[in-house]
């Protein structure tokens, strides 16, 4: 469904930046549209679009490629070879242990037999003596180490191989399919788009428009001829649904605007993938309504930032926005650790005690604006 704008004045009026107009990131702009306080935190943190995805690749050694067929094939082959090496090492170790254990069993049994024979000829041939010799033999057997080998990486590699094989199969099933230029809310498949001739490109640096002082980069850009199609993934709790809100249209229009200004191509629509590691998505038209949402959101973000710099923070939002907002989610306070947690503004902590475990909790939003956000976790812990 195309987003419609119902404002009285043209949303594009007054967008040209002046000397003191703040730079606004696309991610922060969409956060402002969701909640001015969340937007201000994103702005002050300087969070870039899809930072989480790139950080995941840099730091997670178990990262598995999902959207590049050659990377999937390379990682799959590596995983299979690594599994073969580890299985061979395990089998060799188990065989050596079995052989050693067999030798120890033979030696122990031989010693026990000779001992019993000697005791018998020495006159220690009562049932009590034989029982004691049998107990000693069993004890000696129990001291022989059992065959054991542990390598958690083997099961992890087996799981990774199954997942990578499924991803490769999805890529191989692709059939070339390209949306029409006037598309909107049309179902698309990532692999079908690549099969249709689109090239997937990752941008390392944000695109910038100095005229509007807006910057950002989509998760991926699909290129084909003069077409520049921005792609990003929904990661919220409603990621799998097709229902979009104003900030989603604004975000897509902002990316389309940046691509057209920076590269001179055409961005008539964008694509939202409906989850973190899925291939299904929908198209979003870069139409009048989407551009109006972008212009309106950019102006509101500028106003909030300027007001905050003047000492006027935004008012608390509708409580419904706070229920699942990650910026209002309470964390247990740990002295020294909580203050240095990644992604914090380093605001003085604003502590609240739990009515359940009597521990202290705080949140990014609570620290920044000195309040208790009505997050569902705060209610569950009876914070006060």
């Amino acid at each position: 469904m195309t987003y419609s704008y119902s404002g009285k004045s043209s949303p594009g009026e007054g967008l040209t930046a002046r000397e003191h107009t703040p730079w606004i990131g696309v991610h922060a702009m969409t956060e402002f549209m969701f909640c001015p306080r969340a937007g201000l935190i994103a702005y002050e943190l300087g969070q870039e679009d899809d930072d989480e995805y790139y950080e995941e690749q840099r730091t997670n050694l178990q990262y598995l490629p999902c959207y590049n067929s050659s990377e999937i094939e390379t990682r799959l082959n590596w995983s299979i070879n690594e599994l073969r090496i580890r299985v061979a090492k395990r089998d060799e170790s188990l065989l050596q242990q079995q052989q050693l254990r067999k030798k120890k069993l033979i030696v122990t049994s031989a010693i026990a037999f000779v001992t019993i024979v000697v005791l018998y000829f020495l006159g220690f041939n009562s049932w009590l003596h034989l029982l004691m010799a049998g107990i000693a033999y069993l004890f000696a057997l129990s001291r022989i180490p059992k065959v054991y080998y542990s390598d958690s990486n083997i099961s992890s590699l087996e799981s990774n191989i199954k997942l990578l094989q499924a991803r490769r199969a999805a890529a191989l099933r692709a059939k070339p399919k390209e949306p029409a230029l006037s598309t909107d809310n049309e179902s698309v498949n990532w692999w079908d788009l690549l099969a249709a001739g689109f090239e997937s490109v990752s941008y390392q640096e944000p695109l910038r428009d100095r005229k509007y002082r807006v910057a950002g980069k989509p998760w991926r850009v699909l290129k084909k001829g003069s077409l520049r199609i921005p792609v990003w993934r929904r990661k919220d709790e409603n990621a799998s649904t097709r229902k979009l809100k104003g900030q989603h249209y604004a975000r897509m229009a902002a990316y389309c605007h940046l691509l057209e200004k920076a590269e001179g191509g055409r961005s008539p629509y964008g694509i939202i993938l409906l989850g973190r590691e899925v291939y299904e998505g929908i198209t979003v038209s870069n139409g009048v309504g989407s551009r109006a949402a972008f212009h309106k959101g950019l102006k509101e973000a500028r106003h909030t930032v300027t007001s905050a710099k003047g000492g006027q923070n935004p008012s608390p939002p509708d409580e419904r926005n706070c229920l699942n907002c990650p910026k209002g989610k309470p964390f247990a306070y740990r002295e020294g650790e909580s203050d240095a947690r990644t992604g914090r503004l380093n605001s003085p902590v604003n502590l609240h005690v739990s009515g359940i475990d009597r521990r202290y909790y705080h949140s990014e939003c609570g620290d920044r604006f000195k309040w208790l956000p009505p997050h569902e976790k705060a209610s569950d812990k009876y914070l006060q």
Side-chain angles (χ1 to χ4, degrees), residues 218-237:
W219 169 70
R220 288 284 193 275
V221 176
L222 293 177
K223 293 185 176 182
K224 184 178 182 181
S226 63
L227 288 177
R228 299 292 185 270
I229 308 301
V231 183
W232 56 275
R233 304 171 303 166
R234 289 192 67 176
K235 301 188 287 283
D236 55 80
E237 68 277 6

Side-chain angles (χ1 to χ4, degrees), residues 15 25 53 63 115 161 192 204 247 278 280 317 327 384:
L15 280 176
Y53 174 79
Y63 166 75
T115 301
I161 289 172
D192 291 348
Q204 300 302 315
Q247 63 261 34
V278 300
E280 304 304 321
K327 293 177 174 59
Q384 50 187 312

Side-chain angles (χ1 to χ4, degrees), residues 57-77:
Q57 293 194 71
R58 286 193 297 266
T59 61
N60 185 4
L61 298 179
Q62 298 300 319
Y63 166 75
L64 297 178
C66 185
Y67 296 96
N68 185 301
S69 57
S70 62
E71 290 181 1
I72 291 174
E73 192 69 33
T74 300
R75 186 58 183 262
L76 178 58
N77 291 334

Side-chain angles (χ1 to χ4, degrees), residues 304-374:
T304 303
V305 169
T306 303
S307 298
K309 289 181 177 180
Q312 183 180 351
N313 286 322
S315 302
D318 188 314
E319 288 191 6
R320 292 174 296 182
N321 289 5
C322 299
L323 292 177
N324 296 290
C325 179
K327 293 177 174 59
K329 181 180 179 180
F331 292 90
Y333 176 73
R334 295 180 177 85
E335 188 173 358
E337 293 182 21
S338 296
D339 302 298
R341 185 167 58 86
T342 302
R344 275 186 47 78
L345 285 170
N346 294 322
S347 305
V349 292
N350 184 44
L351 299 176
H352 298 273
V353 66
S354 170
I356 296 180
D357 57 21
R358 308 309 299 172
R359 298 177 67 186
Y360 287 101
Y361 290 82
H362 71 116
S363 65
E364 186 67 61
C365 187
D367 294 345
R368 171 62 179 81
F369 298 103
K370 304 305 176 193
W371 74 313
L372 176 59

Side-chain angles (χ1 to χ4, degrees), residues 154-317:
I154 289 180
S155 58
S156 177
L157 283 168
E158 290 173 338
S159 299
N160 290 348
I161 289 172
K162 290 181 180 179
L163 181 58
L164 289 167
Q165 287 175 333
R167 291 177 177 177
R168 181 178 64 177
L172 293 175
R173 289 195 301 267
K175 297 180 180 179
K177 184 180 179 181
E178 179 179 351
L181 296 181
S182 58
T183 183
D184 187 50
N185 201 33
E186 179 182 349
S187 296
V188 293
N189 177 277
W190 174 259
W191 297 116
D192 291 348
L193 292 166
L194 297 185
F198 281 99
E199 176 191 4
S200 172
V201 180
S202 300
Y203 284 33
Q204 300 302 315
E205 297 296 329
L207 300 166
R208 296 179 179 274
D209 176 17
R210 296 185 178 279
K211 180 179 179 181
Y212 285 2
R213 288 199 176 184
V214 62
K217 63 176 184 292
W219 169 70
R220 288 284 193 275
V221 176
L222 293 177
K223 293 185 176 182
K224 184 178 182 181
S226 63
L227 288 177
R228 299 292 185 270
I229 308 301
V231 183
W232 56 275
R233 304 171 303 166
R234 289 192 67 176
K235 301 188 287 283
D236 55 80
E237 68 277 6
N238 297 316
S240 61
T241 68
R242 299 171 67 99
K243 184 177 180 180
L244 303 180
K245 297 182 179 180
Q247 63 261 34
H248 300 128
Y249 292 94
R251 181 176 180 178
M252 192 61 78
Y255 288 146
C256 290
H257 170 83
L258 287 170
L259 285 167
E260 290 178 340
K261 292 297 181 182
E263 301 194 0
R266 295 180 298 148
S267 297
Y269 64 91
I271 293 171
I272 300 177
L273 295 182
L274 304 177
R276 288 180 57 85
E277 293 184 347
V278 300
Y279 302 125
E280 304 304 321
I282 57 173
T283 60
V284 178
S285 171
N286 182 28
V288 175
S290 296
R291 294 194 295 271
F294 160 46
H295 298 158
K296 182 173 182 289
L298 180 58
K299 288 191 285 188
E300 290 178 351
R302 289 174 177 176
H303 174 74
T304 303
V305 169
T306 303
S307 298
K309 289 181 177 180
Q312 183 180 351
N313 286 322
S315 302

